Amino acid sequence: MTAGKRTCALDLNNASDKEKVKALIENADVVIQAFRLRSLERKGFGLSDVVDMANKRGKGVVYVDLNCYGPDGYYAERPGFQQIADAATGCSYVCGKAYGFDEGVSVLPSLPIADMLSGAVGVIDTLLALRDRAVHGGSYHAHVALAAIDAAQLEEEVGLYPPEVVKEVQERCKFAPMTPDLHVEELLSVVAEAWAQNTDL
């Protein structure tokens, strides 16, 4: 995940570290932040702050907000991560139903789908914004929400596999049981072990 990247551990409550972050942002083409919505505004690095920095240097910036619940609504500023979004949107409920559990028993998706798709959407947003900046100039803002990504997967246009198809896949791939007590790393392990043992998949 961090190959070829420079990692800096900085504390925004520390004046010296804040100056280091400011120096990084002043030279950045893209700023991606995944803290709670508006939390960086309180530290001086919100959207308006970063756009002001870009205006002073005379070159636009792309600012991407990534969070759990999106840019508005009464949950907008609450913290959250993928498993929270999976539960809030009903994805875990759907998985529980697909695996044949009793009504109301939920199971996390076996892959971090919301995380992966949010990353992909963020990349597309960023590339489109960089293209538009190159053509038209200016600064651009995009927002990616885990809950929105999860909710989109439940739309009728996307479709869900019926339980009998899920059962057939489970049996063919020889997956160990995916149960409500398993966390995401344990579910990933179930998938990886099945793939390792079934080389014909």
Side-chain angles (χ1 to χ4, degrees):
M1 298 275 291
T2 56
K5 297 179 184 130
R6 181 170 142 208
T7 302
C8 305
L10 300 171
D11 180 358
L12 292 181
N13 293 314
N14 178 295
S16 173
D17 282 357
K18 280 185 81 168
E19 286 303 311
K20 291 174 185 173
V21 172
K22 186 177 178 186
L24 288 169
I25 290 176
E26 283 173 343
N27 293 307
D29 291 304
V30 180
V31 174
I32 301 171
Q33 80 85 21
F35 295 98
R36 287 187 300 124
L37 184 66
R38 287 187 272 280
S39 62
L40 281 188
E41 288 179 18
R42 295 186 281 276
K43 303 293 185 182
F45 298 104
L47 173 63
S48 297
D49 304 302
V50 172
V51 170
D52 285 346
M53 291 181 211
N55 288 340
K56 286 175 185 170
R57 73 182 182 190
K59 180 182 178 184
V61 68
V62 176
Y63 192 97
V64 181
D65 273 304
L66 169 62
N67 62 25
C68 189
Y69 294 110
D72 50 33
Y74 50 85
Y75 279 0
E77 293 188 49
R78 290 191 176 194
F81 45 91
Q82 185 201 302
Q83 293 88 338
I84 300 292
D86 291 340
T89 57
C91 281
S92 298
Y93 169 81
V94 167
C95 286
K97 292 286 283 183
Y99 296 146
F101 287 103
D102 292 337
E103 180 69 28
V105 176
S106 299
V107 180
L108 288 171
S110 55
L111 294 171
I113 298 167
D115 278 348
M116 294 187 291
L117 288 179
S118 293
V121 169
V123 167
I124 293 168
D125 286 343
T126 299
L127 292 174
L128 290 172
L130 287 171
R131 178 203 63 187
D132 288 350
R133 186 185 71 162
V135 174
H136 306 292
S139 292
Y140 295 83
H141 178 219
H143 207 117
V144 184
L146 294 168
I149 296 291
D150 265 347
Q153 298 175 67
L154 301 178
E155 292 288 337
E156 188 175 349
E157 293 80 6
V158 176
L160 298 170
Y161 291 116
E164 55 270 21
V165 172
V166 175
K167 186 173 186 292
E168 181 184 333
V169 169
Q170 295 286 97
E171 291 172 352
R172 178 170 178 252
C173 296
K174 300 180 176 64
F175 289 131
M178 297 182 185
T179 55
D181 59 307
L182 298 181
H183 197 263
V184 64
E185 290 88 358
E186 295 166 312
L187 289 161
L188 280 169
S189 180
V190 168
V191 174
E193 286 171 12
W195 285 344
Q197 292 169 14
N198 297 284
T199 54
D200 59 332
L201 293 179

